Amino acid sequence: MREFKALPIEVKLHRHIMPEPMSGCWLWDGAVGTNGYGVFNHHKITRNAHRAVYEIYKGEIPKGLELDHLCRNRQCVNPQHLEAVTHKKNIGRGARALKTHCLNGHLLC
């Protein structure tokens, strides 16, 4: 019987990363979860692709923090586009990204 060997995590990930030169995003072209984030299986565990890439290139995500996509693209896995922040800061940044006008009706730049 032939023995099955799992591929190293870096190989599995890089098979599904497509750099986008205009934005600098590393687009995930593998499976995507219902929340819009890239996902993959490694050793029978489903993981978020952006979190795995961040850990490979930048190290462990500090306890109590989550990753914010500075580019606002959930399918981006470029570690330079990811920042470990508190949940409150992440939510606040996302809400601001959706706003186009201030309370007085002025266009936000």
Side-chain angles (χ1 to χ4, degrees), residues 33-69:
T34 57
N35 58 7
Y37 294 102
V39 294
F40 71 103
N41 289 312
H42 189 67
H43 296 298
K44 298 182 182 179
I45 297 171
T46 301
R47 298 204 48 207
N48 285 328
H50 68 290
R51 293 178 60 87
V53 172
Y54 182 94
E55 291 170 355
I56 289 168
Y57 285 94
K58 289 192 164 185
E60 189 174 324
I61 300 165
K63 201 170 199 89
L65 299 183
E66 56 191 47
L67 296 181
D68 179 21
H69 284 80

Side-chain angles (χ1 to χ4, degrees), residues 6 12-13 17 21 28 38 41 52 55-56 58 61 64 73 92 99-100 107:
K12 287 181 103 170
L13 289 169
I17 295 173
W28 181 256
N41 289 312
E55 291 170 355
I56 289 168
K58 289 192 164 185
I61 300 165
N73 184 346
K99 286 181 84 173
T100 58
L107 184 64

Side-chain angles (χ1 to χ4, degrees), residues 75-89:
Q75 291 184 16
C76 178
V77 298
N78 183 342
Q80 298 303 315
H81 290 194
L82 301 170
E83 182 181 7
V85 297
T86 64
H87 180 69
K88 182 177 180 179
K89 188 169 197 172

